[in-house]
Amino acid sequence: MHENKETEKYIENIGIQESPHRLWQGRFSVAPMLDWTDRHCRYFHRLLTKQTLLYTEMVTTGAIIHGKGDYLAYNKEENPIALQLGGSDPQALAHCAQIAQERGYDEINLNVGCPSDRVQNGRFGACLMGEAELVADCVKAMQDVASVPITVKTRIGIDEQDSYEFLCDFIDTVVQRSGCNIFTIHARKAWLSGLSPKENREIPPLDYPRVYQLKKDFPQLTIAINGGIKSLEEAKQHLQHVDGVMVGREAYQNPSILAHVDHELFDSSIPVVNSVEAVRALYPYIEQELSKGTYLGHITRHILGIFQGIPGARQWRRHLSENAHKLGADISVVEQALAMVTERM
């Protein structure tokens, strides 16, 4: 059995501590991604970076209020962590915000960017860009019951409403009616019909200059940029224009990028995290979860890309993919896969 002391020592070495509530952490963040950024994913990401703000998957107010499961469960080691809520009923959002604050979340984010049909049918996500006053009412209702930052993640436009003036009007209305001062802007518009969520992440062109201009015109706001960012060098360029950078798919598919974040973007005296050590530091968590009945594959699917570009990475991925789902799969599967990397170092 791998002792939890191993993880505690590792966490101490890279400076990770349980985070108290604090001012906004989002100079660099990992985007909320449905079916990807679950608690297992976030726990591993936190082993790679202390400073990065981590987001949950989007959770609907209905799931929290009426669902049978605990949709707000997370590990204290994940802080700083933001809950992304989906909803458009101010009272329901306020109720969920109150619960989330009591559970220790560091931020509550309203989803005004998801373009899926299912989300639209629930009257939330990107379609809310067309109802700025309602968005403001939702934010205000949450602010009235919670002291942690209430933030908004949105697009630069929807359908034919994609002018810079439309974006400014949306932001100004939300700010004036609610006092919200933190926005993450996905630098693409959303097509609410005709494109799938995946296509909406790729087909509408990126317009970074529009987000930069928004920061110039609303200098009092904290603005983070999201969409298509694939490296920390790109992040540094964006940070010359805006306050924060949110990275999605690249951070998930190539999580080793996160091992460099603290050193590159926060404090050059912080050492780059060793990916092999991070995997080994995950062992106690894996064994703890297995003892609760979690399937190994539910955890290891989030670490497949950690050795991207390193000799042995293909064998690592293959061994985990072929064996982690098998009945009775345990920590030895990960140890065997890791040996395929370390023996080539």
Side-chain angles (χ1 to χ4, degrees), residues 305-322:
I306 185 61
F307 298 117
Q308 190 175 126
I310 295 176
R314 184 177 300 176
Q315 290 85 350
W316 155 267
R317 292 192 301 270
R318 181 184 299 129
H319 189 80
L320 289 180
S321 298
E322 291 178 352

Side-chain angles (χ1 to χ4, degrees), residues 241-254:
H241 304 277
V242 293
D243 304 295
V245 172
M246 175 182 279
V247 176
R249 285 168 290 170
E250 187 65 23
Y252 185 87
Q253 295 167 351
N254 180 22

